[in-house]
Amino acid sequence: MTHSLFQNIGTMAYRNLLKTLHNPDQFMDVLIQPVLFMILFGYLFGGAIAGGVHAYLPTIVPGILAQTVLSAASGSGAQIREDVDAGVFDRFKSLPIARIAPLAGQLLADSLRLLVATVASLLTGYCMGWRPNVAFGWVVVILLLAVFIGWAISWIYALVGLLSSSAAMVQSFSLMTMLLLAFLSNAFVPIKTLPKLLQIIATLNPVTYVITAIRQILARGTLTPTAGWVFLMGWGIVLVFAPLTIWAYDRRN
């Protein structure tokens, strides 16, 4: 039974990966967006904020990495909503597979999309001149941490996708939350440069903790208390939103 469940999930994940490969527009938030934002923000604001692109890269690389994770994770909701609207989940319901397999397969495929997006962000930064001051193993650690947080956030967007009335609504919600969380944080500028009210918001923003944890790991080459809190925050999101998402999925199917 367990073997069959994992086989079903793997098949659904493969199906979603093929769907992404056959729809080039879905690569926007995985490949094109991180490259585009890294180049634009780096060269447009590097001189004004840090005195030069190379001096700005240690700030912008973790910031774009976090923004990319948010954007790629938000794609879960839109894809699930599109499948629901197309009646795909109704077809899956009639098949002799585990009921949870289509949803779990979607989120597993999203983890692979997140991995591609994070690697694209780091490679773009590297091509622009960014060089981490720590061993390669710690770069892998921040990459895995970013993918884990993105996977956790995917549960939130999956729930939004199941509860929303259209894919357009999911995309609007995703874009709005991504922009607010990314820009009202320490992703692109020091928090101390913001007005007092925005400083408070940015300090409380969970994305700020993620970016801070990544910067600390890259600067010190060790896990920090902030990284521990981010890891716990990710599991907290999963523990809260995974049951709600499964409930919404079962309720609809």
Side-chain angles (χ1 to χ4, degrees), residues 3-52:
H3 173 73
S4 177
L5 173 62
F6 286 119
Q7 189 176 46
N8 293 162
I9 292 174
T11 301
M12 290 295 104
Y14 180 66
R15 174 254 175 191
N16 282 286
L17 288 175
L18 286 179
K19 180 181 176 183
T20 299
L21 290 173
H22 293 155
N23 292 276
D25 58 311
Q26 294 187 9
F27 279 107
M28 184 67 110
D29 59 345
V30 176
L31 288 176
I32 300 176
Q33 183 172 300
V35 173
L36 186 63
F37 276 121
M38 188 76 74
I39 294 173
L40 284 177
F41 280 89
Y43 287 108
L44 285 176
F45 303 124
I49 296 175

Side-chain angles (χ1 to χ4, degrees), residues 36-69:
L36 186 63
F37 276 121
M38 188 76 74
I39 294 173
L40 284 177
F41 280 89
Y43 287 108
L44 285 176
F45 303 124
I49 296 175
V53 175
H54 287 280
Y56 189 46
L57 286 174
T59 297
I60 194 68
V61 169
I64 294 295
L65 183 61
Q67 180 183 350
T68 299
V69 164

Side-chain angles (χ1 to χ4, degrees), residues 42-208:
Y43 287 108
L44 285 176
F45 303 124
I49 296 175
V53 175
H54 287 280
Y56 189 46
L57 286 174
T59 297
I60 194 68
V61 169
I64 294 295
L65 183 61
Q67 180 183 350
T68 299
V69 164
L70 284 171
S71 179
S74 68
S76 301
Q79 291 189 31
I80 288 175
R81 185 67 249 174
E82 288 174 358
D83 281 345
V84 170
D85 291 341
V88 174
F89 280 167
D90 291 333
R91 298 190 190 101
F92 288 151
K93 184 180 177 182
S94 65
L95 297 177
I97 61 174
R99 285 177 59 82
I100 197 62
L103 178 61
Q106 172 70 59
L107 292 171
L108 177 59
D110 286 339
S111 297
L112 299 177
R113 292 176 68 253
L114 284 162
L115 181 61
V116 173
T118 53
V119 170
S121 297
L122 294 180
L123 285 178
T124 304
Y126 188 85
C127 292
M128 292 174 63
W130 171 72
R131 297 294 184 272
N133 296 320
V134 294
F136 179 73
W138 289 109
V139 177
V140 175
V141 169
I142 67 159
L143 193 149
L144 293 177
L145 180 63
V147 171
F148 167 69
I149 289 297
W151 173 76
I153 295 173
S154 294
W155 285 99
I156 300 176
Y157 287 110
L159 177 62
V160 173
L162 289 169
L163 297 179
S164 297
S165 59
S166 66
M169 180 179 293
V170 178
Q171 291 170 350
S172 297
F173 174 82
S174 301
L175 179 61
M176 179 180 64
T177 54
M178 186 270 288
L179 291 176
L180 288 175
L181 289 172
F183 285 96
L184 292 180
S185 70
N186 63 345
F188 307 113
V189 297
I191 291 179
K192 63 182 180 181
T193 63
L194 300 174
K196 290 296 183 182
L197 177 59
L198 294 185
Q199 285 186 31
I200 296 173
I201 296 173
T203 301
L204 296 176
N205 187 346
V207 174
T208 295

Side-chain angles (χ1 to χ4, degrees), residues 199-220:
Q199 285 186 31
I200 296 173
I201 296 173
T203 301
L204 296 176
N205 187 346
V207 174
T208 295
Y209 288 88
V210 176
I211 296 170
T212 300
I214 293 173
R215 287 174 180 163
Q216 289 176 348
I217 292 173
L218 289 175
R220 305 175 190 177

Side-chain angles (χ1 to χ4, degrees), residues 218-243:
L218 289 175
R220 305 175 190 177
T222 183
L223 293 176
T224 64
T226 306
W229 281 112
V230 168
F231 185 73
L232 291 176
M233 178 179 67
W235 278 115
I237 292 172
V238 174
L239 290 174
V240 172
F241 284 94

